[in-house]
Amino acid sequence: MAMPMPTTAEETKTALRLVITGGGTGGHVYPALSVLDAADDAPTVLWIGSTGGLEAPIVQRAGIPFKGIDAGGLRGMSPVKMARNLMRLGRGFVQAWRLLRTFRPDVVLATGGYVTFPVGVAAWLQRIPMLIYLPDIEPGLAVRALAPFATRIAVTGEAAQAHFRAGKTVVTGYPVRRALQALPSREAARALLGIPAEARVVLVTGGSQGAHSLNEAVGRNLNALLDMAHVIHIHGRSDGEWLRSLRAALPDALRQRYHLFDYLHEEMAAALRAADIVVARAGASTLGELPAAGVAAVLVPYPYSGAHQWANAEYLAAQGGALVVPDAEIAARIVPVVRTLLEDEARLHAMQAAMQRLAQPEAAQRLYRLVQEMGQAKRDRRSK
Ligand SMILES: CC(=O)N[C@H]1[C@@H](OP(=O)(O)OP(=O)(O)OC[C@H]2O[C@@H](n3ccc(=O)[nH]c3=O)[C@H](O)[C@@H]2O)O[C@H](CO)[C@@H](O)[C@@H]1O
């Protein structure tokens, strides 16, 4: 998704100037890319992320100019490391200040991660309006700290509004990549991935960084899973070596049914759309992407970062689109749970339909309209 750059002096003068800041994990990057997908007026964009963060390659791959600044977390670490990260945030603030002074944005969109804090404070001091988008129902530390500096706060669902000052929030839904909405059918998605149209397909994904316990659950039960379905397995940062060895040792017929990847970029939309069932962590994206794909889910919340993934999973389960399995039980339960769903077609279809009812295809447009309105208000004030 290359961002069209203004070509004439006139366009440069009139195009909306937008700074996006967010990073640390994919969950803070894809929502902003989806908002840009919905931009219909060719804004001039600069992304400010963290130096060395995983967001840099994803953003640059999308053709968006990227600048890294110093940033670091402050939670659950030794006092020495915390002091070092505080200094990094201080340096990051100076770097952000200079970038904003040079780029002169009309508006800042912040989507989460520690890097947003120095950028947001610098923007506030320079009187640049800022929209925070919170993908999760519960805000993390960076978003909580940043909220007082925001002009507006957009959220995925009503439950998130309770965490912020009344009147500042607006419910937009979770913005989903256009590619996911554009795929015409499950069969078309399967054709893209080389999977037969009539196959049963299970996608296993541990979010943007992968999940070791999901990888173990697949590895330990590989033959049983492949007897039932094609398995698209995205293993993430760890476990690639032993999983590739397991795959190599499979009999030919089963190996062809095991689609193993470390990470998917553009093909992620096809993988979600191709699946009958997704077995996944319950990061914020599940609230938007699983409904957009209309896929039934078995959700395994990440157990070590508070309860917010449980909140996401239980919400989708309460609406009838997902089952929730605790992390410690997934290795023992992945085969019976997947089998039960595949064998009960009526139940599987009911879950898929329930998921589909939660789709909010307008979310990205809603968010971009807010960005435009806030940017325009700033321009109007400037020209007075
Ligand atoms: C362990 C942890 O704390 N995870 C947090 C992190 O998760 P994480 O970074 O995994 O965030 P999400 O689950 O929200 O989003 C993952 C994104 O990565 C994409 N993707 C994933 C794999 C792949 O191969 N290709 C690809 O494109 C997915 O389609 C999705 O768009 O940020 C989320 C948003 O704040 C939080 O809700 C999660 O709790």
Side-chain angles (χ1 to χ4, degrees):
M1 178 198 49
M3 290 310 295
M5 286 294 182
T7 48
T8 67
E10 186 52 26
E11 277 174 297
T12 308
K13 215 166 74 190
T14 55
L16 179 80
R17 297 184 72 77
L18 168 62
V19 159
I20 296 180
T21 180
T25 186
H28 300 146
V29 178
Y30 290 107
L33 292 181
S34 306
V35 173
L36 284 184
D37 258 358
D40 45 11
D41 60 352
T44 305
V45 181
L46 173 66
W47 192 298
I48 306 181
S50 45
T51 309
L54 72 68
E55 60 272 23
I58 303 176
V59 171
Q60 284 160 346
R61 194 183 172 92
I64 298 162
F66 179 91
K67 295 278 186 199
I69 62 169
D70 290 330
L74 296 178
R75 223 176 42 173
M77 56 187 59
S78 71
V80 175
K81 194 154 185 223
M82 198 185 277
R84 202 180 305 145
N85 279 357
L86 266 174
M87 278 166 58
R88 287 174 67 86
L89 284 169
R91 281 198 303 276
F93 170 77
V94 175
Q95 294 158 341
W97 179 275
R98 290 191 184 134
L99 285 170
L100 294 178
R101 268 279 179 257
T102 313
F103 186 75
R104 291 177 60 80
D106 301 309
V107 54
V108 172
L109 170 64
T111 50
Y114 285 101
V115 69
T116 57
F117 190 70
V119 180
V121 175
W124 183 75
L125 288 169
Q126 293 183 25
R127 298 181 194 285
I128 303 162
M130 174 172 58
L131 174 66
I132 292 179
Y133 168 64
L134 170 68
D136 293 287
I137 300 296
E138 287 180 20
L141 187 59
V143 168
R144 277 180 208 272
L146 198 58
F149 301 98
T151 317
R152 307 290 305 271
I153 300 171
V155 296
T156 300
E158 279 166 21
Q161 290 180 296
H163 299 283
F164 303 104
R165 212 183 73 207
K168 221 180 197 184
T169 55
V170 46
V171 180
T172 55
Y174 184 98
V176 168
R177 292 178 247 186
R178 194 186 288 159
L180 190 51
Q181 305 190 47
L183 278 173
S185 67
R186 192 154 280 156
E187 289 70 29
R190 288 177 182 182
L192 270 173
L193 296 166
I195 296 175
E198 72 289 352
R200 298 301 213 152
V201 180
V202 176
L203 166 65
V204 183
T205 168
S208 65
Q209 308 189 43
H212 177 65
S213 50
L214 292 189
N215 293 341
E216 281 220 329
V218 174
R220 278 198 220 161
N221 297 286
L222 192 55
N223 288 38
L225 289 168
L226 294 171
D227 278 339
M228 293 188 278
H230 279 247
V231 175
I232 307 170
H233 179 189
I234 310 175
H235 63 75
R237 291 196 296 199
S238 61
D239 302 319
E241 209 167 307
W242 66 268
L243 284 166
R244 279 191 295 275
S245 310
L246 267 188
R247 182 176 188 278
L250 287 169
D252 276 353
L254 290 191
R255 194 178 327 112
Q256 280 159 22
R257 293 158 72 95
Y258 187 35
H259 311 269
L260 181 65
F261 303 97
D262 60 345
Y263 196 84
L264 291 177
H265 288 279
E266 290 73 21
E267 311 84 358
M268 187 65 191
L272 283 160
R273 194 75 181 85
D276 296 296
I277 301 171
V278 172
V279 180
R281 282 288 186 231
S285 65
T286 53
L287 298 171
E289 293 180 353
L290 302 183
V295 67
V298 176
L299 295 175
V300 186
Y302 180 64
Y304 309 111
S305 63
H308 74 274
Q309 289 208 358
W310 273 97
N312 295 340
E314 277 169 359
Y315 170 76
L316 292 173
Q319 307 298 315
L323 303 175
V324 188
V325 176
D327 191 68
E329 293 174 21
I330 189 62
R333 290 180 55 195
I334 189 167
V335 170
V337 168
V338 166
R339 178 174 294 126
T340 306
L341 293 179
L342 287 177
E343 283 176 357
D344 188 346
E345 203 136 309
R347 183 172 178 201
L348 187 62
H349 286 161
M351 285 176 73
Q352 291 167 345
M355 206 50 114
Q356 229 160 16
R357 280 196 293 276
L358 300 174
Q360 291 185 294
E362 306 300 321
Q365 278 96 331
R366 278 190 207 124
L367 272 156
Y368 191 67
R369 291 287 160 265
L370 273 174
V371 166
Q372 273 181 320
E373 278 167 32
M374 288 169 55
Q376 193 53 49
K378 168 73 179 169
R379 287 169 165 229
D380 294 346
R381 281 199 302 278
R382 250 193 218 138
S383 60
K384 264 186 199 151

